[in-house]
Amino acid sequence: MEPEIKYPTSLEDVVRLVQRLYQPGSPATVNKVQEILQQVQRSADGWTLADALLGNPDQQVQFFGALTFIVKLNSDWESLAEADVFVLLDTLIGWLIRLVSAGATTMVVKKLCSTLAVFFTRFPDKWTHCTRHLICCLCDHRTPPDAIDSCPATQELLEKATSTQKIVALWFSAIFLEEVSKIDTRNIKNHHFREKVSLNADEAILLIENAIALPKEGNGSHLDTRLVTEGLQCFTSWAYYSMRTFVAPIPAIDKLKALNTRAMEWLQYDETSETTSEFLTDALINYSSFFSETDKQVLQHHLTGPWAMSNFRAVLAGEDGTDPLQFVRLIIAFAEASVQRIAKTPRDAQTEILMQMMHGMLTAPGYPVVEDEISPQTFEFWSSLVEYLLDGEFPVTEGENHGGSAMEEGKRHVFQAIQEYWAKIKIPPVSIAESWNKDAREGFTSFRKDFADLLETAYPLLQAPLFTKFVNHILGCFVAPDWEDIEATMFCLNSLSDSLTEQPSEDEALEQLFGSPLFTLLASSEGNNIPLKARRTAVNLIGSYADFFERHSDFLPAVLNYLFTTLSSPSLARNASKSISQLCSSCRDTLTGELSTFLYQYEIFTHSPSADELAKERVVCAISYVIQALLTDEEKASPISILLGLIQKDVEVCLSLAQQGEFDAAKDTALLVMRCLTSMGRGLQVPEDEPILLDSDKSRPLSFWEQEKGIMIQTQIVHMIHALVVAMQEDPEVVDAACCVFKTGFAESSPGAFVFPPHVTTNFLLERAANSRQVETIVATAATMISSYSTQGATSIVPQARALLEMVVALVEKYQEPQTDPDVAQSIMDFLNRLLFKYVEVLVNFEPKARTERLLLFALNSVAVKETLVKKAASTFWSNLVSLRDDRPEVQTAIDSIVQACGPVLAEKLVWGIGGGAARSDVDWLSEPLKKLVFKQPRTKSWLSAVLFRPGVPSPKVTDADKRLFLEKVMSLRGAKGTTQIAKEFWLQCRGNEFGYATPQFD
């Protein structure tokens, strides 16, 4: 057991605790030690303790001492007298000088620099010229801050300073900016920090300039690359600070920019190249305006000169000791920042070298991401170049020969880049792919997706020649097929499926492709040796060009034969079924003659033990698309019956499993059947673009589905659903899936196999409401049914509406309050809303009246629940009911009677909600019934007054005068849009201003 950790009573105790903090130990021990040390740091003795700890030889103790000074500066700085402030500054600088002289670690020295930077943020007016003062002190001219004018000039001091002294000053300068950057200088109270930074800028620039000065001729042996590196990093800090601040740039910005070309010179030194590249890359990407045109020309000279070309060749060759990414990023960042110039001056010698490197990056060896880290960095440049070529204006350059225009040169480069990427996206052999981990696989896939995006972007520029290039490449591969190569090309074609421009040459190319032996080869017995990825890409390719097959149906048999063949492969079944579904949806009218073949193929597929469930659903939907295209319902009956027969086999499997007690397996099968039936129902729906003749003539002849054979098919479907729901003991998921089957018929406006008679659907829902746990779904389905029979020309279902309302009232009596189950409450309110549009008489004439009153009270209470969706549905219901007008006098009288009876309670609920009882965002919904009441009901003012002028209602924070003003404003607007804003202002008064939003809210 570890000894008890006690509060230290001496400096030695503190030191031991600090050392223990950095030693291995249990998390509980470390936390306890840290907690005690924090108490010590914040104690009254913290200042003295920090000073003492810095004198300890242990670097961890020294670090903790500097940290303790920071803690005290952040917590107790206001307690220091003015004289103590200068004593503290002198102490900190003294320790910095002593520790630097003693060879303290970088960690300790930088922490002391951080302490001094925090000191500045606490006392900016006491240490205004902090950079100059610290340089003087480090260079053996220790003096008070207000006496620095007596010291030699900064430039003179730096000439004599050691590299170590200058490095410490550079550390402080960078950390000083970092600390100031944490302060929000957009706030006017903190604006003086910007001014103080500006006062230190000239000294910092002199310091940086000295650090990154180029070595004198013949003096290279004395080059201190560490000093140069720290100078470049400090330069980076000042450059970024000057460019990202939210007010005008610091006055010294031009002096800073003058250092750009000097910094660029350090690119060619191995020890400083990476730091310089990193600065230039980030600045080009984020702050390109930091570079003048002259700067960019100088940088281009560096990046296209012998040094850069030698470095680039080493990168591509993968020579040891060469870190490719930083140099490559710099080339790419510069190229992207120079896109306009590259596009307009393609024959410039330096542009040509730059583009050679950009192309060279796409030929780096290895698979992208996995082995080649270079090519994935390049997409942004090529996308930018394409976009500029599409949007820019390019005059033909005088004196140029064939292909000499800037546009043609740009297109040539883009075309070449696409060919280079094309070679990079080839899938690896299985032996290599299996050795990749998850990150490698995902990275390679992401690279392919990025290339697909580039293809889409570039196609408006390159158009049909690019498309035909891909197609012709495949056509030339059949003698000795390279399937990895063919797969990459099919991937490219797949990516362009939504980008074609309807040029005749595109269709001609597709005719050649789909008329070629490609899919015959893929479907042949030798196809087993073809990579799975290639077969999958071919499957996706077919689905992507469904619109082509709609125009050229003579190509369908070959591709559909291939797709049905691939269904038997578990790895391809989902992709194949998706493409089959896409084709059958687009080409349904031309495929009706193939129905028997499709049904046969599907039957074979269902007998496969590895038949994929999602694939089953998709193929059922696909076949149903084709059945829908048959001209008469009589023709549809036979294939529908055959398809149902195939689904019935899964029903029998489910029932058998249930009888054997294998409930989980039975449930999975039941859900599969329901999804297949739902897919079938959706597939049989009339397409949206097909005209529908609405016929409200009650004397029309019976449709096929209302006669014997049609009724038999519908009865079979309903029996299947019922059998599964009962066998699964009203399982909620199964009931939910069953309701989805019924909903497919609700979307139809004409008779169909899944458009069941209203009483059939109603009976199913009533039975489920009595037995099922899925009440919310039952009520929601009932609401959808009511809505579907409320459209123009729809059959009236008053008896069924009355029965469903009876079901809902029974649920209200069961739950009593909407808060009991908010999801059910929301469904109930939605159902009542749907009734209002065509079946309002069912609601207002419901008997007995006592039950109607309970239902309306439930609706009133729903306005006041905390759940937003319930409140929204209830508010919508009351808003619609209050404003409803019916042509039938007896119905309108009943509506008016309900509104008069419920008006006072509704007004009370609204006042409580708008008066702070609801969330502010809910006021938008609560305002709607308020507007309708004010506009439609003359007694609204008295109803509102009766509630508002009760003592303390709705909030003690509002006076009677406030309430009176609110009431007058609301009534004067007479339901206009501004009512919502008035309600929100009143809500804020009732809650208190501290609840207001920072951003204004609008109607």
Side-chain angles (χ1 to χ4, degrees):
M1 183 176 178
E2 295 186 2
E4 182 183 357
I5 304 170
K6 297 181 179 179
Y7 192 88
T9 57
S10 66
L11 177 61
E12 290 74 17
D13 289 345
V14 175
V15 170
R16 280 193 291 270
L17 274 179
V18 172
Q19 292 170 336
R20 188 170 181 180
L21 179 66
Y22 295 106
Q23 292 172 354
S26 67
T29 299
V30 173
N31 289 338
K32 182 63 177 177
V33 171
Q34 194 168 23
E35 181 183 337
I36 292 175
L37 286 175
Q38 286 173 349
Q39 294 174 17
V40 173
Q41 287 178 314
R42 291 186 172 86
S43 69
D45 297 326
W47 298 109
T48 307
L49 175 67
D51 188 63
L53 291 174
L54 282 170
N56 192 286
D58 188 324
Q59 65 169 352
Q60 293 172 334
V61 177
Q62 292 172 349
F63 181 88
F64 194 82
L67 179 62
T68 302
F69 269 124
I70 292 175
V71 171
K72 295 300 290 181
L73 280 166
N74 284 329
S75 60
D76 297 338
W77 63 279
E78 291 177 305
S79 65
L80 292 174
E82 184 168 343
D84 293 333
V85 171
F86 291 106
V87 171
L88 174 60
L89 176 60
D90 188 63
T91 300
L92 293 173
I93 292 177
W95 275 119
L96 181 64
I97 293 170
R98 288 198 293 277
L99 289 171
V100 170
S101 299
T105 62
T106 298
M107 175 183 72
V108 173
V109 176
K110 281 191 172 183
K111 199 64 181 178
L112 260 176
C113 289
S114 296
T115 307
L116 285 165
V118 172
F119 177 92
F120 171 83
T121 64
R122 294 307 181 193
F123 306 105
D125 295 327
K126 301 292 191 295
W127 203 30
T128 301
H129 296 280
C130 57
T131 305
R132 160 102 170 132
H133 181 236
L134 187 63
I135 291 172
C136 290
C137 293
L138 287 168
C139 295
D140 304 324
H141 287 274
R142 197 165 173 189
T143 184
D146 57 357
I148 54 176
D149 289 343
S150 63
C151 297
T154 300
Q155 199 159 0
E156 183 181 339
L157 291 172
L158 293 173
E159 290 296 331
K160 298 177 181 179
T162 66
S163 290
T164 300
Q165 290 169 335
K166 287 186 275 192
I167 286 172
V168 173
L170 289 164
W171 284 345
F172 168 76
S173 185
I175 294 170
F176 154 77
L177 278 184
E178 183 182 332
E179 287 297 325
V180 173
S181 297
K182 296 175 183 177
I183 301 168
D184 183 7
T185 53
R186 291 172 296 180
N187 188 324
I188 192 64
K189 294 180 182 179
N190 297 325
H191 192 260
H192 63 286
F193 282 104
R194 277 282 301 173
E195 298 169 355
K196 296 295 189 297
V197 171
S198 296
L199 292 174
N200 282 274
D202 286 342
E203 308 297 327
I205 292 169
L206 287 174
L207 176 62
I208 295 166
E209 186 177 17
N210 180 277
I212 66 173
L214 292 169
K216 295 179 180 178
E217 203 69 38
N219 199 28
S221 59
H222 299 291
L223 176 64
D224 187 340
T225 55
R226 183 168 177 244
L227 173 61
V228 176
T229 299
E230 297 297 342
L232 289 168
Q233 290 177 344
C234 187
F235 177 46
T236 301
S237 297
W238 277 91
Y240 287 0
Y241 180 84
S242 67
M243 295 301 292
R244 70 171 176 252
T245 45
F246 297 98
V247 293
I250 59 174
I253 185 70
D254 291 335
K255 294 180 182 179
L256 266 177
K257 290 181 177 181
L259 298 178
N260 280 334
T261 54
R262 182 173 298 184
M264 293 171 190
E265 297 293 337
W266 291 103
L267 275 172
Q268 302 189 38
Y269 291 82
D270 292 342
E271 298 87 346
T272 57
S273 179
E274 185 173 346
T275 302
T276 310
S277 294
E278 186 175 352
F279 158 65
L280 293 171
T281 301
D282 290 345
L284 284 166
I285 292 172
N286 299 306
Y287 311 108
S288 61
S289 61
F290 190 70
F291 300 100
S292 66
E293 284 305 312
T294 300
D295 292 336
K296 291 178 181 178
Q297 289 171 9
V298 171
L299 182 55
Q300 180 172 265
H301 175 76
H302 284 293
L303 297 181
T304 57
W307 163 80
M309 293 303 296
S310 174
N311 202 13
F312 187 70
R313 284 192 291 269
V315 165
L316 290 187
E319 293 181 6
D320 293 340
T322 305
D323 178 16
L325 287 185
Q326 191 55 64
F327 176 71
V328 163
R329 288 192 187 111
L330 175 58
I331 299 292
I332 295 170
F334 180 76
E336 190 172 345
S338 309
V339 159
Q340 293 187 24
R341 193 186 57 76
I342 288 172
K344 290 183 176 180
T345 60
R347 295 302 178 89
D348 176 80
Q350 291 181 326
T351 297
E352 288 183 338
I353 293 173
L354 197 58
M355 293 304 289
Q356 285 175 18
M357 287 194 281
M358 292 306 303
H359 285 297
M361 293 178 196
L362 302 182
T363 62
Y367 289 98
V369 180
V370 185
E371 299 155 331
D372 163 25
E373 297 180 272
I374 297 174
S375 59
Q377 312 288 326
T378 58
F379 285 112
E380 196 67 35
F381 165 75
W382 290 107
S383 294
S384 298
L385 179 60
V386 168
E387 289 169 6
Y388 186 74
L389 290 170
L390 287 169
D391 298 338
E393 296 181 3
F394 303 95
V396 176
T397 307
E398 292 184 10
E400 293 288 359
N401 297 320
H402 175 69
S405 76
M407 173 61 80
E408 290 305 314
E409 282 296 298
K411 290 168 68 173
R412 182 181 65 80
H413 279 300
V414 173
F415 204 108
Q416 180 182 341
I418 283 176
Q419 289 179 293
E420 290 157 348
Y421 279 118
W422 179 12
K424 300 289 289 183
I425 65 166
K426 289 184 183 180
I427 57 174
V430 175
S431 58
I432 294 177
E434 288 178 346
S435 68
W436 289 358
N437 59 24
K438 179 183 177 185
D439 290 342
R441 289 193 298 271
E442 290 179 352
F444 183 69
T445 300
S446 178
F447 180 88
R448 285 167 60 103
K449 289 179 180 177
D450 289 340
F451 175 51
D453 292 339
L454 177 62
L455 272 177
E456 283 191 76
T457 304
Y459 195 75
L461 181 72
L462 304 178
Q463 297 192 6
L466 176 63
F467 191 77
T468 54
K469 172 78 175 177
F470 291 138
V471 172
N472 289 336
H473 184 79
I474 292 178
L475 297 177
C477 289
F478 296 140
V479 176
D482 176 348
W483 287 106
E484 284 81 7
D485 188 30
I486 293 174
E487 189 281 333
T489 311
M490 289 191 295
F491 177 86
C492 295
L493 292 172
N494 219 344
S495 303
L496 293 175
S497 60
D498 294 328
S499 304
L500 300 191
T501 57
E502 298 183 0
Q503 295 182 40
S505 57
E506 293 169 341
D507 249 24
E508 290 169 7
L510 286 172
E511 289 177 20
Q512 290 178 309
L513 176 67
F514 291 117
S516 74
L518 174 62
F519 297 99
T520 304
L521 287 172
L522 286 165
S524 67
S525 57
E526 290 80 7
N528 294 326
N529 298 320
I530 298 172
L532 177 64
K533 182 69 175 177
R535 298 172 68 198
R536 181 180 291 121
T537 303
V539 165
N540 294 337
L541 178 66
I542 295 169
S544 297
Y545 287 95
D547 56 341
F548 167 81
F549 294 106
E550 192 173 358
R551 299 191 303 272
H552 303 275
S553 59
D554 47 319
F555 292 98
L556 277 170
V559 294
L560 281 170
N561 178 59
Y562 170 65
L563 291 176
F564 275 105
T565 301
T566 55
L567 275 179
S568 59
S569 171
S571 301
L572 296 173
R574 292 194 173 192
N575 298 76
S577 62
K578 182 179 179 181
S579 293
I580 290 171
S581 182
Q582 289 170 321
L583 285 179
C584 289
S585 176
S586 298
C587 311
R588 62 182 74 189
D589 292 325
T590 59
L591 289 173
T592 52
E594 304 294 329
L595 258 177
S596 58
T597 303
F598 292 168
L599 288 165
Y600 174 70
Q601 295 273 17
Y602 179 66
E603 183 176 10
I604 294 174
F605 173 57
T606 58
H607 289 157
S608 170
S610 59
D612 183 85
E613 293 186 357
L614 180 59
K616 276 188 174 183
E617 298 169 39
R618 286 174 174 169
V619 176
V620 165
C621 188
I623 294 173
S624 300
Y625 285 141
V626 181
I627 295 173
Q628 187 278 325
L630 293 170
L631 295 178
T632 67
D633 291 330
E634 287 77 7
E635 291 179 272
K636 297 174 185 178
S638 177
I640 287 176
S641 296
I642 294 172
L643 194 54
L644 287 173
L646 296 173
I647 297 174
Q648 177 68 39
K649 293 179 180 179
D650 281 328
V651 175
E652 292 165 2
V653 170
C654 172
L655 297 178
S656 175
L657 289 169
Q659 289 175 351
Q660 296 169 28
E662 297 182 30
F663 186 83
D664 290 342
K667 177 181 172 180
D668 290 341
T669 307
L671 291 173
L672 170 62
V673 170
M674 296 298 188
R675 291 195 299 269
C676 286
L677 289 174
T678 301
S679 296
M680 188 174 178
R682 288 174 180 161
L684 291 172
Q685 289 172 353
V686 177
E688 292 182 2
D689 58 352
E690 190 169 312
I692 298 171
L693 298 176
L694 296 176
D695 185 5
S696 58
D697 184 4
K698 296 182 181 179
S699 62
R700 64 171 176 79
L702 292 177
S703 72
F704 173 82
W705 302 106
E706 296 167 306
Q707 299 180 57
E708 183 180 0
K709 290 184 179 179
I711 293 173
M712 288 176 62
I713 291 173
Q714 289 192 334
T715 302
Q716 180 184 4
I717 298 170
V718 174
H719 282 173
M720 291 165 70
I721 296 170
H722 187 270
L724 295 179
V725 170
V726 172
M728 292 299 99
Q729 302 170 17
E730 306 285 338
D731 179 86
E733 287 185 68
V734 175
V735 171
D736 192 48
C739 288
C740 289
V741 180
F742 283 96
K743 287 179 182 178
T744 62
F746 295 164
E748 296 282 64
S749 300
S750 55
F754 284 77
V755 183
F756 304 110
H759 73 273
V760 171
T761 307
T762 301
N763 290 341
F764 175 82
L765 294 175
L766 294 177
E767 187 176 349
R768 301 288 76 71
N771 301 313
S772 176
R773 291 158 282 169
Q774 200 70 351
V775 174
E776 175 193 352
T777 300
I778 300 303
V779 179
T781 305
T784 306
M785 177 182 173
I786 293 294
S787 184
S788 70
Y789 284 98
S790 297
T791 57
Q792 181 184 1
T795 303
S796 176
I797 57 165
V798 170
Q800 288 75 35
R802 189 176 292 114
L804 292 172
L805 179 59
E806 172 75 34
M807 174 190 76
V808 167
V809 172
L811 290 172
V812 167
E813 292 169 340
K814 174 183 177 181
Y815 289 96
Q816 295 188 355
E817 291 294 334
Q819 200 68 59
T820 305
D821 190 328
D823 291 334
V824 173
Q826 181 190 341
S827 296
I828 289 174
M829 294 314 307
D830 190 37
F831 174 83
L832 295 178
N833 256 317
R834 308 290 180 94
L835 275 181
L836 295 181
F837 292 101
K838 188 172 180 178
Y839 301 102
V840 63
E841 76 276 13
V842 174
L843 174 63
V844 299
N845 294 327
F846 187 77
E847 296 288 348
K849 292 301 179 185
R851 300 186 76 197
T852 306
E853 291 171 5
R854 278 194 289 273
L855 177 64
L856 294 171
L857 181 60
F858 185 91
L860 287 165
N861 290 337
S862 295
V863 175
V865 299
K866 63 182 180 180
E867 284 75 15
T868 296
L869 294 177
V870 181
K871 195 191 308 288
K872 176 183 175 181
S875 298
T876 303
F877 168 75
W878 286 109
S879 180
N880 290 334
L881 183 63
V882 167
S883 58
L884 192 62
R885 288 292 174 266
D886 197 284
D887 295 335
R888 295 162 292 184
E890 69 282 2
V891 174
Q892 187 60 54
T893 299
I895 294 171
D896 293 340
S897 176
I898 289 175
V899 173
Q900 293 300 314
C902 296
V905 180
L906 177 59
E908 181 177 4
K909 301 290 184 184
L910 296 176
V911 167
W912 276 107
I914 294 171
R920 191 172 193 261
S921 57
D922 290 337
V923 175
D924 288 304
W925 304 113
L926 296 174
S927 299
E928 293 306 312
L930 177 64
K931 292 176 190 176
K932 297 298 190 295
L933 280 174
V934 169
F935 185 70
K936 295 286 186 179
Q937 294 299 321
R939 297 177 61 190
T940 298
K941 185 173 184 179
S942 63
W943 293 338
L944 293 172
S945 298
V947 183
L948 277 171
F949 294 104
R950 296 176 195 164
V953 176
S955 166
K957 294 184 179 181
V958 288
T959 65
D960 284 350
D962 295 328
K963 299 175 190 178
R964 191 171 295 107
L965 181 61
F966 165 69
L967 183 60
E968 289 173 358
K969 286 182 178 179
V970 168
M971 296 307 298
S972 66
L973 284 170
R974 289 187 51 76
K977 185 169 71 169
T979 303
T980 302
Q981 187 59 35
I982 299 301
K984 288 182 177 179
E985 292 169 0
F986 186 65
W987 181 94
L988 195 57
Q989 282 183 295
C990 294
R991 276 287 190 99
N993 289 331
E994 65 271 18
F995 287 92
Y997 290 168
T999 54
Q1001 302 294 308
F1002 302 96
D1003 266 336

